[in-house]
Amino acid sequence: MKTRLFFFVFWQFACIVGVWAEGENVLARFANQENPQESRKFALLVGVTDYTELSKLSYCVNGVHAVRKELIKLDFKPEDIHILSSGSNEFKHLPTRKNFEKTLDSILLQIEENAQENESKKKEQSNILFFMFSGHGLEKDDAQYLCLTDTEHNNLSETAYPIPQLLEKLNRSKVDFKWVVIDACREKFTDKKSLPGETTLEEIDNPPPGVFLFQSCKSGQSSYEPFWEPGTIPEGQQPLGIFTECFVEALSGKADSDQDGNLTLMEVCKYTTELTSNKAWENHQKFQYPFFQWDGSDFILKSDLKRQRARKLHSEAKQLFGEKRYAEAKVKISEALELCPKDCEYAQFEITIEQFLKLVEQNAELERKAQEAAEKARWAEEKAKRLANIPRPTLPDVPQILPVSDGRTAGERMVKTINGVEYAFRWCPAGEFMMGSPEGELGRYDNEKQHRVRLTKGFWMLETEVTQAMWESVMGTTVSQQRDKGNKDWSLRGTGPNYPMYYVSWEECQAFCHNLRSLGLNVQLPTEAQWEYACRAGTTTSLNNGKDLTSTNGSCYNLNEVGWYDENSDSTTHIVGQKKPNAWGLYDMHGNVWEWCQDWFDSGYYAESPTSDPEGPSSGARRVIRGGGWSNFAKGCRSALRFSNTPTFRYIILGFRLVLVP
């Protein structure tokens, strides 16, 4: 297969950790040639589930075999794909340290001989090596290791394999492009026989040029396996780790986001990253963000020429249809269907092939209706001329927020002092708004059905999230002590009196409100409707500054104005009130930390919600959280975004704010 290589400019993505500027850009050497070089592709896949001293894993072997199937579809020859895996029938294929070194050296020698042969024949051919490891990782004395089946705690240097040594060996080889994928945790070295696997491999500093390094999670996170109840795995299904499952799905072609028929390496990594983070949260309510380090170039893994031709035919058919050349348009679209009979949805086009065919078949009816419309328009024009001199009253626009006679101004500020700490509230007047999001909103989810809601009573909402000073003065615990209730190994991301409080469950928020009421401040969590109404402050856009997202999971200039999210937060919370407030003076409604609401959560509740003062379902298993946080993509911080968690859940990115009870 001929492989095209090209350079990506200004590509920004949430999980990019570093860009290497040193050394020759290997991919760029081939980027601008009219006839790109042929390539020979080699692969080494290592899956380890059984260990002598470390805890057993479940799905790593399944993973490397699933990846092998996809590599063959990407024109890797079976004889050039080498697998070391637990449970192999041949000893030489078991993932021991000795077998690993021997197999790696054998592949690199084969690549070197191939390079020498190409050079002697003056043949333009590049050598590509795909390496994947799925298993345990260990860190000791700032050294990071891949753990093979015979890895020993007290002899890591001889029985595990250092990652920097692997990268350096690849750098010295004759491989033109190296793609390294690591699905492993960084487990702190202990004297115990089994390890919990709760932290990840550190990011590798300054990998060699020409190495594309893709790891399953960031520092401080785990690489999770899916949770299955005993006996619930479907018959015949081979479960995979969450990262590997998403990676295999990406390699299968689903990552071709622009549907141009070219599956690129960057599309695979971007797709895998977003899908993995979503599935890890769904399975474990934990964060897992894959990340990659590379030199800025991209690489086409597979070109679907039939799909590209079908897209071209579809585009030509649309043009013919616009010119009312229906018969010719139908011929073009029929050719497209012959090329891709099972794939008639082209996401970038306004009209799908199926819809197109219906329109072609109905063109006579459309022409008839068009003539009738033209005739009606002619009569309407004549009538308008006759009535042109008759004066007509103008009706005022219906305001977004209904007027109320409460004597207060929207955004009016009121300060209460409890235990020496100030609580600043902003007035949110009674009114009505469109709750949820329109179908065309960027980043929208199906549980955001748009519907009109009226709030018959105004309310005071806390100007910012509840701060650590507020919490400690009422509850007597610090954010560190709250963290310890869950897991002492969890990190802290922002500590101080003016930072938002986090590591608090919904139940603990209720206790906080109870204690404040006993001190004379009658408060509760906002309802979901109150929260979104206050967040929007009269806006109908996806953000409360009257603007929409410019990107769902990259840098978003409009969101930068009002919120802390994964692109600008530097992976931590920030002192409250630093970003621009909304029209009613409320800060940090987008990002920083998620905020608990009073309601039970039901994804279909909007379809049956009362039109006035909705308070959520009467029961449920999870409570609503809103607003997004510092580690979320831009689409997760929209005004309409809904999420939920169990009332006992606490985490590093979850806090709350208050409203006064009338």
Side-chain angles (χ1 to χ4, degrees):
M1 183 190 78
K2 292 190 175 182
T3 308
R4 295 184 178 274
L5 307 153
F6 61 91
F7 188 74
F8 249 40
V9 182
F10 301 123
W11 184 276
Q12 297 184 12
F13 185 60
C15 296
I16 294 172
V17 194
V19 176
W20 309 311
E22 298 180 1
E24 182 181 5
N25 181 342
V26 177
L27 290 177
R29 291 209 307 250
F30 313 107
N32 298 317
Q33 299 182 18
E34 294 182 1
N35 299 308
Q37 295 179 7
E38 292 183 357
S39 60
R40 184 171 178 184
K41 307 185 182 90
F42 299 83
L44 174 56
L45 312 177
V46 182
V48 192
T49 55
D50 300 326
Y51 286 92
T52 304
E53 294 192 4
L54 307 185
S55 58
K56 181 179 176 65
L57 297 173
S58 300
Y59 308 133
C60 299
V61 172
N62 295 348
V64 295
H65 285 283
V67 169
R68 178 183 182 274
K69 291 180 182 179
E70 296 304 325
L71 292 181
I72 291 174
K73 295 176 185 177
L74 295 175
D75 296 330
F76 281 72
K77 295 180 179 179
E79 61 268 24
D80 288 334
I81 302 176
H82 304 264
I83 293 182
L84 299 176
S85 67
S86 299
S88 174
N89 294 327
E90 297 186 59
F91 178 79
K92 66 179 181 179
H93 293 150
L94 291 174
T96 64
R97 164 67 186 262
K98 184 176 181 180
N99 285 347
F100 177 78
E101 286 192 294
K102 184 177 180 180
T103 305
L104 178 61
D105 290 342
S106 174
I107 294 172
L108 295 180
L109 178 60
Q110 188 179 359
I111 291 174
E112 183 174 357
E113 292 173 348
N114 187 58
Q116 291 174 352
E117 181 180 351
N118 291 336
E119 186 176 352
S120 65
K121 294 180 179 180
K122 297 183 179 180
K123 182 180 179 180
E124 293 291 330
Q125 184 185 61
S126 58
N127 291 301
I128 296 170
L129 175 61
F130 173 82
F131 170 79
M132 181 173 182
F133 177 87
S134 181
H136 275 308
L138 276 177
E139 178 188 1
K140 182 181 181 183
D141 300 329
D142 295 326
Q144 297 125 34
Y145 298 89
L146 301 178
C147 296
L148 287 308
T149 193
D150 54 349
T151 293
E152 299 173 359
H153 283 144
N154 298 321
N155 191 16
L156 290 180
S157 61
E158 297 296 327
T159 60
Y161 201 87
I163 296 178
Q165 181 177 330
L166 169 67
L167 298 179
E168 183 57 31
K169 178 172 284 193
L170 293 179
N171 186 39
R172 295 197 307 268
S173 71
K174 292 290 186 179
V175 183
D176 296 300
F177 177 64
K178 309 97 177 175
W179 189 8
V180 177
V181 178
I182 298 176
D183 185 1
C185 292
R186 181 196 71 193
E187 296 166 331
K188 293 291 186 181
F189 179 79
T190 71
D191 293 329
K192 298 179 180 179
K193 292 297 183 183
S194 63
L195 300 171
E198 284 299 327
T199 53
T200 66
L201 279 163
E202 288 279 12
E203 290 90 339
I204 308 301
D205 293 329
N206 301 319
V211 175
F212 192 112
L213 180 61
F214 190 26
Q215 298 196 62
S216 60
C217 47
K218 286 186 175 182
S219 179
Q221 299 171 354
S222 293
S223 187
Y224 292 104
E225 294 185 330
F227 175 75
W228 292 92
E229 292 285 354
T232 61
I233 299 177
E235 184 177 354
Q237 181 171 330
Q238 296 294 323
L240 309 177
I242 290 176
F243 170 81
T244 300
E245 179 184 352
C246 299
F247 183 62
V248 167
E249 185 174 316
L251 289 177
S252 71
K254 291 186 179 180
D256 183 14
S257 57
D258 57 7
Q259 298 193 24
D260 63 352
N262 291 325
L263 178 66
T264 70
L265 186 147
M266 291 299 297
E267 286 177 325
V268 166
C269 293
K270 180 179 177 181
Y271 182 93
T272 304
T273 296
E274 182 167 358
L275 190 60
T276 298
S277 64
N278 290 339
K279 287 197 173 185
W281 183 269
E282 290 171 3
N283 275 264
H284 299 281
Q285 284 74 55
K286 298 289 181 68
F287 294 105
Q288 178 182 345
Y289 289 120
F291 74 99
F292 48 92
Q293 294 170 290
W294 96 122
D295 61 359
S297 300
D298 204 357
F299 185 80
I300 295 179
L301 299 170
K302 184 75 172 179
S303 290
D304 187 340
L305 299 180
K306 285 186 177 181
R307 187 176 181 80
Q308 292 175 12
R309 173 61 179 161
R311 283 171 56 89
K312 185 174 186 296
L313 288 168
H314 187 275
S315 180
E316 292 172 353
K318 282 183 64 179
Q319 182 175 349
L320 291 170
F321 187 85
E323 297 170 0
K324 299 184 179 181
R325 296 160 63 183
Y326 301 117
E328 295 172 72
K330 188 170 183 177
V331 170
K332 295 281 187 183
I333 217 68
S334 297
E335 290 180 27
L337 277 173
E338 289 177 6
L339 289 169
C340 301
K342 295 181 180 179
D343 189 7
C344 63
E345 291 264 354
Y346 294 97
Q348 303 301 316
F349 293 122
E350 297 172 0
I351 306 175
T352 67
I353 291 178
E354 289 178 341
Q355 292 170 330
F356 197 105
L357 285 175
K358 290 179 182 178
L359 289 174
V360 170
E361 293 169 358
Q362 297 169 0
N363 69 82
E365 180 69 12
L366 293 174
E367 287 285 353
R368 185 186 65 78
K369 290 183 178 181
Q371 291 176 358
E372 289 181 358
E375 186 68 13
K376 289 180 180 179
R378 185 176 67 81
W379 282 105
E381 184 178 357
E382 292 182 2
K383 182 178 180 181
K385 289 179 180 179
R386 292 195 301 269
L387 300 176
N389 296 324
I390 300 176
R392 298 182 180 183
T394 57
L395 299 176
D397 292 335
V398 177
Q400 172 78 10
I401 306 300
L402 296 181
V404 293
S405 57
D406 51 35
R408 298 189 180 95
T409 304
E412 181 180 331
R413 194 169 190 259
M414 176 180 66
V415 178
K416 299 285 187 178
T417 301
I418 303 294
N419 287 349
V421 178
E422 288 189 350
Y423 292 71
F425 292 88
R426 295 286 185 166
W427 178 247
C428 303
E432 65 178 47
F433 73 113
M434 294 302 293
M435 191 172 183
S437 62
E439 292 188 0
E441 182 167 298
L442 193 63
R444 182 182 190 269
Y445 289 95
D446 291 340
N447 64 10
E448 300 170 14
K449 176 181 174 62
Q450 197 171 47
H451 59 293
R452 185 169 292 277
V453 169
R454 178 192 296 265
L455 297 180
T456 61
K457 297 178 181 179
F459 55 94
W460 293 96
M461 175 172 274
L462 196 62
E463 189 175 74
T464 67
E465 299 111 334
V466 169
T467 64
Q468 293 173 27
M470 294 174 186
W471 180 273
E472 188 171 352
S473 71
V474 174
M475 302 298 288
T477 56
T478 65
V479 68
S480 176
Q481 291 169 323
Q482 286 295 122
R483 180 271 314 272
D484 293 348
K485 293 179 181 180
N487 190 326
K488 292 183 178 181
D489 293 331
W490 287 347
S491 62
L492 296 173
R493 301 296 175 93
T495 58
N498 294 320
Y499 281 87
M501 189 62 193
Y502 50 96
Y503 284 130
V504 289
S505 68
W506 184 91
E507 292 179 347
E508 288 172 324
C509 293
Q510 297 300 319
F512 178 82
C513 293
H514 173 78
N515 289 355
L516 268 183
R517 286 194 289 270
S518 68
L519 295 171
L521 197 60
N522 196 13
V523 295
Q524 67 176 28
L525 295 177
T527 66
E528 186 175 16
Q530 285 178 323
W531 190 96
E532 186 173 329
Y533 177 67
C535 174
R536 291 187 177 280
T539 61
T540 58
T541 49
S542 58
L543 302 174
N544 65 16
N545 56 359
K547 301 177 182 179
D548 288 310
L549 294 184
T550 57
S551 170
T552 59
N553 55 5
S555 181
C556 176
Y557 177 79
N558 291 340
L559 180 54
N560 287 339
E561 293 181 2
V562 291
W564 299 107
Y565 65 116
D566 71 328
E567 284 287 332
N568 67 2
S569 68
D570 198 26
S571 298
T572 186
T573 61
H574 289 263
I575 291 174
V576 299
Q578 301 300 299
K579 289 292 186 177
K580 182 180 178 182
N582 70 6
W584 294 349
L586 297 170
Y587 294 90
D588 299 316
M589 300 295 284
H590 299 299
N592 213 9
V593 292
W594 287 89
E595 300 177 16
W596 286 110
C597 290
Q598 187 71 15
D599 305 25
W600 289 110
F601 178 79
D602 179 351
S603 61
Y605 178 68
Y606 281 8
E608 57 188 36
S609 170
T611 56
S612 295
D613 302 317
E615 296 182 351
S618 59
S619 62
R622 302 161 73 90
R623 296 287 185 174
V624 173
I625 58 175
R626 285 300 211 112
W630 53 261
S631 69
N632 289 102
F633 293 147
K635 69 179 182 182
C637 299
R638 295 174 298 109
S639 298
L641 192 280
R642 309 177 69 210
F643 210 67
S644 66
N645 223 302
T646 55
T648 58
F649 181 75
R650 64 168 64 86
Y651 204 59
I652 195 171
I653 198 172
L654 182 54
F656 67 112
R657 77 173 69 215
L658 306 169
V659 294
L660 288 178
V661 179

